[in-house]
């Protein structure tokens, strides 16, 4: 009779929590675990029901009638959990805080993407959720690398990888059967209890899988040993490490993005999500604001739907694709995703800087030299194989040039006139719309190697001032010879060379 009662009625809040648990945690339903505890037992235990995980079991967990856990798939997973446990809560807290700091500082993971919950007894779950499935062996690789970098732990502390295909993970937001304590979320720095765990849980946005793969996962070639694991674990971790090589070539990715932007439509089937994420980082780094980035990428998607519909899954509507685009772009800007550690090395050579410094015209030469150097750096960083790159005015200003669009246009026109810069397209209107595309340029000077150069830190380009390049590559006599007297002193070079 019980089976014929029909669907269980859910409140709006329960429906929201159910969907968020499914979205963040559930990727494998064939098996799950239930927690149970009876008086006289030394500790709570788990058993596996013989049936698959159903939404009703998740709902019972949300209502705190059951406490369930889930497994990872054999090949893919949606998230990673570092299960921190010890006999002493104080020791678990200390280890959890250290782990969060390591993930944030050493792996460049935003604190917004690190979620910590109390296990219900004397431990914590530190979790990172992804917006797409990822190979489980990559998560194992990441786990071993993190533990290696965390250093030797107290013998009383364990940090276990969860979920596995063979070992489950208890979900949060229910009751630990032995302690009768609620498994709540905590602040990931202080570990203080969140005032409303359910609202916090509903606010979680998963991290981009593409960013995780590009910027977070360690390079397998750089890992030589796992210092503190036992012999069996060392062997297992090295197997995982040695069999993975998945780093993405950022230079080729950038060229692929430029090609899509040039053609104004997706070039490969089922590449929409990939393009949206990577192009949003690319355009953000070039200085576009959120609205500008969404506008440029909207043109690509709309044109794809109109003229190349076969490139996007039939079940995906244009309305859904554009709403997803807005979400992805906002997330990229909110969490400040960057290419960072995998970007190609950029060098500015002495002969290149000499050519920049030789640019001269009445009254504006210093401003022109600064802008010319900015375009050279942008070209080295983003130009496609044919030397063409995008550069909005906002990027020029961010790199230390004037904020006046009118003056920037004058300087660009002069650089074009003397042949330093070629303007490939300016104020070009996107077909069928009133929208303008970003201008495209090409630097027309020989970019040859030499013995004297400066290597740029791509994560801190804003810290470089024009004079820094001069002092780094020229002696004081060379600088005086190539610059006018007023330029030399206006830049404060006399004081810098004395230092």
């Amino acid at each position: 009779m019980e089976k014929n009662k029909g669907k269980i009625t859910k409140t709006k809040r329960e429906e929201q929590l159910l969907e968020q648990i499914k979205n963040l945690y559930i990727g494998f339903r064939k098996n799950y675990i239930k927690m149970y505890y009876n008086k006289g037992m030394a500790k709570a235990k788990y058993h596996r029901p013989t049936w698959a995980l159903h939404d009703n079991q998740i709902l019972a967990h949300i209502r705190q009638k059951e406490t369930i856990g889930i497994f990872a798939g054999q090949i893919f997973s949606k998230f990673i959990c570092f299960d921190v446990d010890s006999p002493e809560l104080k020791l678990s807290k200390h280890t959890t805080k250290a782990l969060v700091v390591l993930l944030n500082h050493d792996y460049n993971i935003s604190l917004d993407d690190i979620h910590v919950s109390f296990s219900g007894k004397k431990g914590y779950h530190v979790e990172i959720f992804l917006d797409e499935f990822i190979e489980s062996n990559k998560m194992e690789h990441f786990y071993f690398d993190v533990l290696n970098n965390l250093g030797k732990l107290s013998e009383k502390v364990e940090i276990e990888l969860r979920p596995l295909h063979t070992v489950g993970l208890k979900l949060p937001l229910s009751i630990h059967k032995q302690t009768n304590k609620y498994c709540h979320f905590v602040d990931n720095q202080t570990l203080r209890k969140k005032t409303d765990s359910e609202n916090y849980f509903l606010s979680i946005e998963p991290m981009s899988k593409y960013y995780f793969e590009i910027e977070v996962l360690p390079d397998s070639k750089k890992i030589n040993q796992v210092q503190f694991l036992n012999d069996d674990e060392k062997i297992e971790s090295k197997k995982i490490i040695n069999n993975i090589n998945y780093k993405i070539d950022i230079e080729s990715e950038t060229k692929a993005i430029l090609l899509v932007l040039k053609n104004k439509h997706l070039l490969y089937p089922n590449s929409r999500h990939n393009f949206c994420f990577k192009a949003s980082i690319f355009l953000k780094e070039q200085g576009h604001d959120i609205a500008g980035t969404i506008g440029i990428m909207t043109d690509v998607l709309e044109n794809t739907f109109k003229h190349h519909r076969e490139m996007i899954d039939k079940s995906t509507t244009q309305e859904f694709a554009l709403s997803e685009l807005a979400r992805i772009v906002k997330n990229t800007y909110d969490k400040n995703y960057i290419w960072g550690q995998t970007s190609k090395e950029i060098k500015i050579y002495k002969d290149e800087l000499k050519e920049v410094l030789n640019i001269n015209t009445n009254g504006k030469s210093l401003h022109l030299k600064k802008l010319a150097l900015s375009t050279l750096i942008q070209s080295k960083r983003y130009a496609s194989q044919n030397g063409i790159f995008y550069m909005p005015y906002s990027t020029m200003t961010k790199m230390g040039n004037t904020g006046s669009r009118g003056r920037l246009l004058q300087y660009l026109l002069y650089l074009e006139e003397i042949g330093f810069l070629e303007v490939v397209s300016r104020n070009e209107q996107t077909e069928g719309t009133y929208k303008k595309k970003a201008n495209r340029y090409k630097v027309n000077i020989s970019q040859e190697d030499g013995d004297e150069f400066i290597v740029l830190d791509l994560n801190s380009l804003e810290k470089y001032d024009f004079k820094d390049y001069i002092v780094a590559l020229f002696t004081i006599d060379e600088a005086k010879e190539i610059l006018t007297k007023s330029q030399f002193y206006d830049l404060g070079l006399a004081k810098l060379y004395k230092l």
Side-chain angles (χ1 to χ4, degrees):
M1 292 295 293
E2 289 293 316
K3 293 181 179 178
N4 297 323
K5 282 189 174 182
K7 293 183 179 178
I8 297 176
T9 304
K10 300 183 285 289
T11 66
K12 184 178 179 181
R13 168 53 66 94
E14 288 173 342
E15 184 69 47
Q16 290 172 332
L17 291 170
L18 174 63
E19 290 305 311
Q20 184 72 325
I21 286 177
K22 287 157 64 176
N23 178 45
L24 297 179
Y25 287 103
I26 311 300
F28 180 78
R29 285 180 177 263
K30 190 174 181 181
N31 292 311
Y32 74 102
I33 52 176
K34 290 176 71 172
M35 189 181 206
Y36 68 96
Y37 178 77
N38 296 318
K39 287 183 180 180
M41 291 175 59
K43 62 179 182 178
K45 295 184 178 180
Y46 293 90
H47 77 275
R48 287 195 195 193
T50 55
W51 53 88
L53 177 62
H54 188 273
D55 283 4
N56 287 346
Q57 276 86 52
I58 303 173
L59 187 60
H61 176 91
I62 293 168
R63 291 175 172 173
Q64 299 174 18
K65 293 181 178 179
E66 299 284 358
T67 302
I68 68 168
I70 50 92
F71 293 91
Q74 199 161 6
I75 300 174
F76 295 103
S77 182
K78 295 181 78 169
F79 71 103
I80 185 170
C81 174
F82 294 87
D83 186 358
V84 182
D85 197 18
S86 81
E88 303 170 23
L89 184 59
K90 186 177 180 180
L91 194 54
S92 293
K93 283 185 175 182
H94 175 78
T95 306
T96 300
K97 287 179 180 179
L99 175 60
V100 171
V101 169
L102 179 76
L103 293 172
N104 178 231
H105 286 258
D106 288 29
Y107 289 89
N108 200 26
I109 301 176
S110 167
L111 287 171
D112 292 337
D113 288 320
I114 303 171
H115 308 283
V116 184
S117 62
F118 175 54
S119 71
K121 196 174 182 183
K122 292 183 179 179
Y124 293 90
H125 294 170
V126 180
E127 296 169 331
I128 299 166
F129 302 102
L130 302 182
D131 62 359
E132 289 190 43
F133 284 96
I134 189 170
E135 292 91 334
S136 298
N137 60 358
K138 290 183 180 180
M139 287 304 205
E140 290 182 63
H141 177 199
F142 176 58
Y143 163 78
F144 282 118
D145 191 62
V146 169
L147 261 63
N148 188 48
N149 286 323
L150 192 59
K152 190 170 180 64
L153 303 173
S154 165
E155 292 180 358
K156 296 180 180 179
V157 178
E158 287 185 338
I159 302 180
E160 296 182 314
L161 172 63
R162 297 288 186 269
L164 299 173
H165 187 59
T166 54
V167 184
L169 171 73
K170 176 171 57 65
L171 295 176
L173 303 180
S174 195
I175 301 296
H176 190 288
K177 293 294 185 180
Q178 181 177 349
T179 64
N180 208 34
K181 292 181 179 179
Y182 182 56
C183 301
H184 55 263
F185 281 91
V186 299
D187 182 278
N188 60 12
Q189 293 177 281
T190 65
L191 302 189
R192 293 194 186 100
K193 182 180 179 180
K194 290 282 184 183
T195 54
D196 191 331
S197 278
E198 290 186 358
N199 274 341
Y200 172 79
F201 179 65
L202 292 174
S203 73
I204 293 174
E205 281 277 346
M207 185 180 189
S208 166
K209 172 208 171 187
Y210 292 106
Y211 181 80
F212 184 81
E213 286 189 311
I214 295 166
E215 289 297 326
V216 176
L217 284 178
D219 187 343
S220 59
K221 294 177 183 177
K222 294 179 181 178
I223 302 173
N224 297 317
Q225 58 182 342
V226 179
Q227 299 169 352
F228 63 91
L229 302 178
N230 64 43
D231 291 340
D232 290 339
E233 289 170 327
K234 285 180 182 180
I235 293 169
E236 183 63 24
S237 67
K238 286 182 180 179
K239 281 181 186 175
I240 295 165
I241 289 165
N242 293 334
N243 289 331
I244 300 177
N245 184 12
Y246 46 79
K247 276 295 177 182
I248 295 174
D249 183 346
I250 301 304
E251 187 173 357
S252 65
E253 291 290 341
T254 300
K255 289 173 182 176
I257 291 166
L258 286 168
L259 195 59
V260 172
L261 294 175
K262 178 183 177 183
N263 284 276
K264 296 181 286 189
H265 65 81
L266 298 178
L267 301 176
Y268 302 100
N270 303 316
S271 60
R272 175 180 62 86
H273 195 284
N274 191 345
F275 166 75
C276 287
F277 171 67
K278 293 176 182 176
S280 67
I281 294 181
F282 171 77
L283 293 169
K284 179 180 75 67
E285 285 200 341
Q286 288 201 316
H288 292 278
D289 58 17
I290 291 179
T293 294
I294 290 175
I296 292 169
M297 294 167 67
T298 294
D299 292 341
V300 171
L301 293 185
E302 287 179 344
N303 197 48
T304 303
F305 271 99
K306 187 174 181 180
H307 300 293
H308 302 274
R309 187 64 181 83
E310 72 281 2
M311 295 298 171
I312 297 177
D313 190 276
K314 290 180 181 179
S315 64
T316 302
T317 65
Q318 182 170 315
E319 182 183 13
F320 175 78
L322 294 179
S323 67
E324 271 288 282
L325 166 64
R327 182 190 68 79
I328 291 168
V329 172
K330 184 178 183 301
N331 199 42
T332 297
Y333 278 74
D334 286 348
K335 295 180 179 176
N336 194 29
Y337 289 154
I338 56 175
W339 290 132
Q341 61 193 2
T342 49
S343 296
K344 62 180 180 179
E345 185 178 78
I346 289 181
K347 298 176 181 177
I348 299 295
Y349 291 92
K350 185 173 182 176
D351 286 344
E352 295 171 337
L353 186 58
K354 188 178 289 186
E355 194 155 348
V356 167
L357 295 177
N358 278 323
I359 295 172
N360 195 26
T361 187
N362 293 332
K364 300 173 186 173
S365 57
L366 198 54
H367 301 298
L368 283 166
K369 296 180 205 293
K370 286 183 178 180
L371 183 58
L373 182 58
S374 298
T375 59
L376 176 62
I377 292 170
Q378 192 77 352
S379 171
K380 284 175 173 283
R381 192 173 188 191
Y382 291 114
S384 58
Q385 206 161 14
N386 57 9
I388 296 172
F389 61 96
Y390 290 83
M391 193 172 189
Y393 289 123
S394 55
T395 297
M396 298 175 194
T397 300
K398 191 177 179 182
M399 295 177 76
N401 299 286
T402 177
S404 167
R405 294 172 67 93
R407 290 199 196 99
L408 286 173
L409 178 58
Q410 290 177 17
Y411 302 158
L412 289 167
L413 289 172
Y414 184 79
L415 292 176
E416 184 180 21
E417 183 182 324
I418 64 174
F420 180 89
L421 194 68
E422 178 185 342
V423 182
V424 179
S425 67
R426 179 189 287 117
N427 295 326
E428 187 177 329
Q429 187 172 306
T430 303
E431 185 180 352
T433 74
Y434 295 101
K435 299 172 183 175
K436 300 289 183 62
K437 294 196 297 183
N439 294 344
R440 294 188 297 156
Y441 305 95
K442 184 177 182 180
V443 171
N444 287 326
I445 66 168
S446 57
Q447 299 181 30
E448 297 180 358
D449 293 354
D451 294 332
E452 297 178 79
F453 57 84
I454 180 173
V455 179
L456 305 187
D457 177 359
L458 298 183
N459 294 322
S460 307
L461 280 182
E462 294 84 358
K463 78 179 182 181
Y464 294 101
D465 191 83
F466 187 57
K467 58 181 175 287
D468 296 327
Y469 296 93
I470 298 171
V471 173
L473 291 174
F474 293 97
T475 66
I476 187 169
D477 291 334
E478 289 172 329
K480 284 182 175 179
E481 184 180 339
I482 205 165
L483 295 167
T484 66
K485 188 174 182 179
S486 63
Q487 288 171 355
F488 183 86
Y489 286 100
D490 286 348
L491 286 169
L493 292 176
K495 186 181 291 185
L496 282 176
Y497 276 110
K498 191 176 289 185
L499 291 172

